[in-house]
Amino acid sequence: MAKSTAKKVVFISSFPPRKCGIATFTSDLIKNASAAAKGEFEPLLVTMRSEDHKYEDPVKFEIRQNVKSDYICAADYINLSHVDAVSVQHEFGLFGGDGGAYLSLLLDRLKAPIITTLHTVLDDPSNDYHKTLTEVCKASHQVITMNERGVGMLRDTYSVPDRKIKLVAHGIPDLPFVDSNYYKHEVDLEDRRTILTFGLLSENKGIEVMLEAMPAIVKVEPSVVYIVLGMTHPSVLRRDGESYRLGLQQKVEDLGLKEHVIFHNRFVDDQELHNFLCAADIYVTPYLNPKQLTSGTLSFAVGAGKAVVSTPYWAATELLADGRGKLVRFGDSKQTAQAIIEILQDDSLFYSLRRNAYEYGRSRTWPKIGQIYWKLFGAKRMPLGIAAKTRLSAGETISNIEVPEPSLDHLQTLTDDTGMYQHATYTIPNREFGYCTDDNARALIAMARYYALHPEPQALKLLDTYLSFTMHSQNGDGSVKNFMDFDRNWWEDEPLNDAFGRVLWALGTIMAKPPTPEHLSIAKDCFDKSVGLVQRQMPRGMAYSIFGMADYLKQFPGASDIKRQLELAADGLATQFEENAYPDWQWFEDTLTYDNAVLPHALFVAGLTFGNKKYLEAAQKTCEFLLANTFNGEYFSFIGCNGWYERGGARAVFDQQPLEAASTVMMLQAGYDATQDERFLTLQRKAFDWFLGRNELRVPLYDFKTKGCNDGLTREGVNANQGAESTLSFHLSLLTMVESPAQRWAGRRTGLTKQTGKIQRPIKAIRSQTEAGKQQVEELT
């Protein structure tokens, strides 16, 4: 059989039936590149999975946005498919990780040349977004932007060399220049002057501004009708339902415009869209975001030769220059009305705008754009200048592929409508011991972090159950109750516990990652009620409280009272270390007991929050001491709860608790954040592997079948019960691994030596860091 000469190009993008602008763009690009190739083109799709869509050819592989291993498996699939080129449609909101960082997991592993089309370029990006786009451009052989402004930003802001950058316009339909009256009967608009806006609806579209302009327009031209064509954006629909559209419809009624405004709440196909475009007299984009670099809808309108009125966002400024449209101020309904009235009353202006736009659009019709892309895909030699891709280490590959995926299965088993049970007999909830606030607060932390990655209804239901329990545990003075029996009665005399600190930690996590504004309000009220009691806590309760207060400050950086309380708590831990430390015992107490890693972890967090060198130095010393006593050069052997480890005494090897592995995983993440020492990432992976069998007995504690975790490692083997603390410890460890954008670099420089069983300590200068506020990137259509 003769070998096919068709170019195999894989596209990494969203794709229909998903309803978004990137999906539509990719579909049009494939269609027109295929036409240009005349049968010499074989497209394959690696698509970002959305909802429950079922995909057909050419989709070959689906990636779940927030699952790291999917990106790596996709790279393997592409490499084994012998493709000639890779086309990436890049939008920050499309890919998982901070700023879409997970995409680099895929791109860095690909063998074929990569051509990346950027649908958004930010001029003042946060650190996450800058790093992500810089890495994407570094991995790419060619970087395409659709706007002249984008060329300068790529060069000046992201240091992309000129030889890599190519300007290619957004494709537009090749529509005829027609009299709009001819098409009005197709959409039941005979004898009406027609204004059109189309696209997926969201608050940044500024439709309310256009509605406020309509009364003045109607007064001058009573036949006018404004068509708002398009369904609500799916991400808006999931978050807010139809509240924005309902608000617009109420405004139409309040302004007396029911006869002059029509909403078509649906995603229209190409033919229907063309009919509406051809029927429109004026096209309007009253968008509110000045930094929107591309707009497929505006490009379509210009290509169809429409008279356009728009706000001066970046794409519009370029497309409508030189008399191709009229620009009006953002949010100015009065100027918008004046511009539209002028066009409706001045035929000379109306036809001049139309003619200029249509002639300009001839150079960027989809058939011509398809030819440009086909030439890029078919190039025999890609541009030089991309750095050689290094072979990935075994540590990098294992760190990502073998991490299990977060699962709600066993958490749901342990949860009823009151909260999470403390204990289980094997996998069956043990009702005898009831519930505790400690576990429900931990469960709330896990669900807040899980929901931020996977916004599933079931996760939100569990989150609300745990939040309700946590709220109910609060006393009037802000203290908390811990133990509740199966009959929902709180214990009268309960032993000392750390529930208060874990409650603050949980509430702070909700504040840093609120599922809704209402959750933020509830968590803040509860937090403010209790925070005054932080200084009464024991060291571990103080440490948990520090986590919560640091998260509080991520949402409200100016909260002075929280800063004071956090500083007092951190001072207390630092002082306790200074008073108890010896040259051979760099620790806070005379005994290593339970949840040890939480203490250095808290000082790392406090040090990062305040840029405090004293806290960071104490954190590093105690972290290294703990590692020296729990890591033997091959695997972690945590301090056993059957005897602990008192200074000068014998170290208990059993029973080892999952809690210790979890707090170590989180401590090492904070240590890496503070020092950028990649050794911490390698150790973090080894601490996590304790759950999977890299431990004293070489037996796994995590149950891949039930998705639960056994309660401990005893001298005889594993404790077969899968209770709340152990299962939550595993999931908090797993979520820490999954969330970490840096974890993919683990394994490069271990800094470990098996010969001595000790940890090398190349002390780095500790750097103060402040957390940059994350810039919210709108998912553009």
Side-chain angles (χ1 to χ4, degrees):
M1 178 182 285
K3 185 178 179 181
S4 171
T5 59
K7 287 278 185 180
K8 290 178 74 172
V9 179
V10 65
F11 292 79
I12 301 172
S13 176
S14 58
F15 200 69
R18 181 168 178 171
K19 297 175 174 64
C20 75
I22 308 296
T24 302
F25 179 94
T26 305
S27 177
D28 289 337
L29 174 56
I30 290 174
K31 176 182 175 182
N32 287 277
S34 296
K38 298 178 181 177
E40 296 298 311
F41 178 55
E42 183 183 345
L44 295 78
L45 248 297
V46 170
T47 191
M48 304 305 298
R49 182 187 296 181
S50 175
E51 301 169 355
D52 295 323
H53 292 143
K54 293 185 178 179
Y55 295 96
E56 298 179 356
D57 275 342
V59 174
K60 304 297 183 184
F61 195 97
E62 298 172 34
I63 295 175
R64 292 163 292 181
Q65 184 185 44
N66 294 304
V67 179
K68 278 184 176 182
S69 59
D70 279 8
Y71 293 82
I72 298 163
C73 291
D76 292 339
Y77 179 87
I78 293 169
N79 286 335
L80 292 172
S81 297
H82 310 294
V83 300
D84 297 293
V86 178
S87 174
V88 178
Q89 302 305 315
H90 184 271
E91 175 64 79
F92 288 105
L94 199 58
F95 305 102
D98 293 336
Y102 290 177
L103 177 62
S104 291
L105 291 172
L106 194 169
L107 301 186
D108 289 344
R109 288 164 166 78
L110 294 180
K111 299 175 182 176
I114 300 166
I115 301 166
T116 298
T117 302
L118 303 177
H119 292 259
T120 296
V121 182
L122 302 173
D123 65 333
D124 186 23
S126 68
N127 290 339
D128 287 336
Y129 291 112
H130 184 273
K131 180 181 179 183
T132 294
L133 193 58
T134 300
E135 289 181 353
V136 168
C137 292
K138 192 175 293 185
S140 302
H141 292 71
Q142 193 93 64
V143 179
I144 294 173
T145 180
M146 305 182 202
N147 189 292
E148 287 280 4
R149 183 187 293 264
V151 174
M153 287 194 292
L154 287 173
R155 183 179 56 243
D156 301 335
T157 305
Y158 300 92
S159 303
V160 182
D162 286 331
R163 64 180 176 273
K164 273 195 180 185
I165 303 171
K166 187 170 181 64
L167 179 63
V168 181
H170 193 300
I172 56 179
D174 190 7
L175 297 177
F177 188 81
V178 297
D179 183 348
S180 59
N181 291 314
Y182 179 80
Y183 277 84
K184 287 184 179 180
H185 75 280
E186 296 280 352
V187 289
D188 298 323
L189 293 173
E190 291 96 336
D191 302 321
R192 304 291 299 267
R193 300 303 298 273
T194 306
I195 305 170
L196 175 67
T197 295
F198 79 86
L200 297 172
L201 207 60
S202 61
E203 290 186 352
N204 66 339
K205 300 298 184 182
I207 305 300
E208 64 276 11
V209 178
M210 182 58 202
L211 295 180
E212 290 164 2
M214 281 297 290
I217 300 169
V218 170
K219 187 174 181 180
V220 173
E221 179 51 73
S223 73
V224 75
V225 61
Y226 177 41
I227 307 292
V228 182
L229 178 64
M231 64 180 284
T232 302
H233 198 293
S235 63
V236 175
L237 207 54
R238 286 192 298 271
R239 185 181 68 243
D240 302 324
E242 289 286 13
S243 58
Y244 179 58
R245 184 183 296 275
L246 292 173
L248 295 176
Q249 291 172 341
Q250 184 61 52
K251 183 177 282 288
V252 168
E253 195 165 321
D254 294 345
L255 293 171
L257 295 171
K258 291 180 70 174
E259 301 301 320
H260 299 278
V261 177
I262 300 172
F263 290 92
H264 287 288
N265 184 8
R266 63 181 189 276
F267 192 83
V268 297
D269 60 27
D270 286 349
Q271 185 56 54
E272 189 174 13
L273 174 58
H274 295 170
N275 287 342
F276 272 104
L277 262 178
C278 290
D281 297 302
I282 297 175
Y283 186 76
V284 180
T285 58
Y287 299 170
L288 302 178
N289 177 16
K291 296 185 177 183
Q292 183 168 332
L293 191 64
T294 63
S295 172
T297 61
L298 181 60
S299 296
F300 292 176
V302 168
K306 297 291 101 178
V308 179
V309 175
S310 176
T311 50
Y313 54 93
W314 290 345
T317 301
E318 182 172 309
L319 281 168
L320 302 182
D322 302 324
R324 295 189 290 271
K326 292 186 73 68
L327 298 175
V328 296
R329 290 185 292 270
F330 292 103
D332 193 330
S333 57
K334 184 176 180 181
Q335 190 184 32
T336 302
Q338 290 171 345
I340 292 173
I341 290 168
E342 183 183 5
I343 294 171
L344 290 173
Q345 291 184 327
D346 186 342
D347 284 348
S348 176
L349 174 62
F350 175 69
Y351 287 110
S352 172
L353 292 173
R354 290 199 61 197
R355 183 175 60 255
N356 292 341
Y358 189 77
E359 289 175 354
Y360 180 74
R362 294 308 84 205
S363 64
R364 49 185 65 204
T365 59
W366 264 121
K368 291 181 179 177
I369 299 302
Q371 290 174 354
I372 294 172
Y373 272 94
W374 169 240
K375 288 179 181 178
L376 287 174
F377 299 151
K380 292 183 178 179
R381 287 193 61 176
M382 285 288 172
L384 299 176
I386 186 168
K389 296 182 181 179
T390 58
R391 184 179 179 84
L392 296 169
S393 71
E396 288 179 278
T397 306
I398 292 171
S399 279
N400 290 281
I401 294 177
E402 294 186 355
V403 173
E405 292 178 21
S407 169
L408 302 180
D409 290 0
H410 195 55
L411 301 179
Q412 290 176 292
T413 299
L414 292 173
T415 304
D416 66 5
D417 59 356
T418 298
M420 178 172 284
Y421 292 107
Q422 283 192 76
H423 296 294
T425 304
Y426 298 109
T427 61
I428 307 302
N430 189 330
R431 301 185 183 194
E432 178 184 352
F433 297 97
Y435 318 84
C436 72
T437 302
D438 249 340
D439 289 336
N440 279 274
R442 270 189 283 239
L444 182 55
I445 295 165
M447 277 306 97
R449 293 170 64 179
Y450 181 96
Y451 188 80
L453 294 172
H454 306 285
E456 302 163 358
Q458 189 56 47
L460 186 60
K461 182 180 178 181
L462 288 172
L463 185 152
D464 287 345
T465 298
Y466 305 140
L467 178 58
S468 176
F469 189 101
T470 303
M471 292 165 61
H472 185 52
S473 74
Q474 244 186 346
N475 296 311
D477 64 353
S479 60
V480 301
K481 299 177 283 287
N482 191 28
F483 295 104
M484 175 189 281
D485 64 28
F486 180 67
D487 295 323
R488 299 186 181 181
N489 298 312
W490 292 104
W491 290 16
E492 292 295 332
D493 299 311
E494 54 185 23
L496 286 174
N497 58 75
D498 298 312
F500 176 91
R502 286 201 175 95
V503 165
L504 280 196
W505 184 5
L507 294 172
T509 304
I510 291 291
M511 293 180 68
K513 301 175 183 289
T516 68
E518 291 76 19
H519 285 84
L520 174 59
S521 176
I522 291 168
K524 181 181 181 301
D525 288 345
C526 293
F527 198 109
D528 291 345
K529 186 177 179 180
S530 292
V531 71
L533 304 180
V534 167
Q535 306 312 316
R536 300 183 188 178
Q537 305 308 305
M538 300 295 283
R540 285 159 183 78
M542 200 87 75
Y544 304 139
S545 300
I546 285 173
F547 302 151
M549 291 186 285
D551 277 344
Y552 189 116
L553 292 172
K554 291 175 184 176
Q555 187 65 248
F556 299 109
S560 301
D561 185 49
I562 304 301
K563 290 179 184 177
R564 286 191 292 270
Q565 293 286 356
L566 198 162
E567 191 168 23
L568 286 170
D571 283 343
L573 288 182
T575 299
Q576 182 159 342
F577 166 64
E578 292 167 357
E579 292 176 349
N580 287 278
Y582 293 88
D584 65 337
W585 190 264
Q586 297 286 294
W587 195 242
F588 303 87
E589 303 158 325
D590 286 336
T591 307
L592 285 168
T593 58
Y594 73 100
D595 209 1
N596 295 298
V598 73
L599 300 174
H601 181 187
L603 286 179
F604 275 131
V605 169
L608 284 168
T609 301
F610 291 125
N612 186 304
K613 186 177 179 181
K614 172 186 171 183
Y615 300 157
L616 291 172
E617 287 177 343
Q620 182 130 346
K621 288 177 182 177
T622 52
C623 171
E624 298 290 358
F625 173 77
L626 183 61
L627 292 172
N629 284 283
T630 55
F631 183 70
N632 64 15
E634 182 180 354
Y635 57 83
F636 274 88
S637 177
F638 297 109
I639 305 300
C641 67
N642 190 12
W644 307 125
Y645 180 22
E646 188 173 354
R647 179 172 177 255
R651 176 188 180 282
V653 177
F654 298 104
D655 299 344
Q656 295 181 32
Q657 302 295 303
L659 176 67
E660 304 303 325
S663 60
T664 301
V665 166
M666 290 185 277
M667 174 193 73
L668 289 165
Q669 182 62 52
Y672 172 76
D673 292 340
T675 66
Q676 298 298 295
D677 186 347
E678 292 180 2
R679 182 176 56 99
F680 284 136
L681 295 180
T682 301
L683 287 165
Q684 182 189 50
R685 174 64 212 209
K686 290 181 180 292
F688 180 79
D689 282 348
W690 181 89
F691 290 103
L692 305 182
R694 192 171 291 180
N695 53 47
E696 204 85 33
L697 301 182
R698 298 294 194 271
V699 293
L701 286 86
Y702 178 65
D703 188 328
F704 282 84
K705 183 177 180 181
T706 67
K707 307 299 189 291
C709 180
N710 296 112
D711 279 352
L713 197 67
T714 72
R715 192 175 301 277
E716 292 75 28
V718 296
N719 181 331
N721 298 329
Q722 297 181 7
E725 181 181 292
S726 56
T727 297
L728 288 167
S729 294
F730 173 79
H731 282 286
L732 287 169
S733 300
L734 177 58
L735 288 164
T736 300
M737 301 290 291
V738 170
E739 289 169 342
S740 170
Q743 183 51 238
R744 67 180 181 271
W745 304 116
R748 284 189 175 178
R749 294 188 295 274
T750 63
L752 308 177
T753 170
K754 291 178 65 174
Q755 283 78 7
T756 63
K758 299 291 183 181
I759 299 175
Q760 297 172 353
R761 296 183 177 83
I763 302 298
K764 291 190 175 184
I766 300 176
R767 301 178 298 173
S768 66
Q769 299 178 349
T770 56
E771 180 168 326
K774 290 187 178 180
Q775 180 175 351
Q776 297 297 313
V777 176
E778 300 173 73
E779 187 172 355
L780 305 175
T781 60

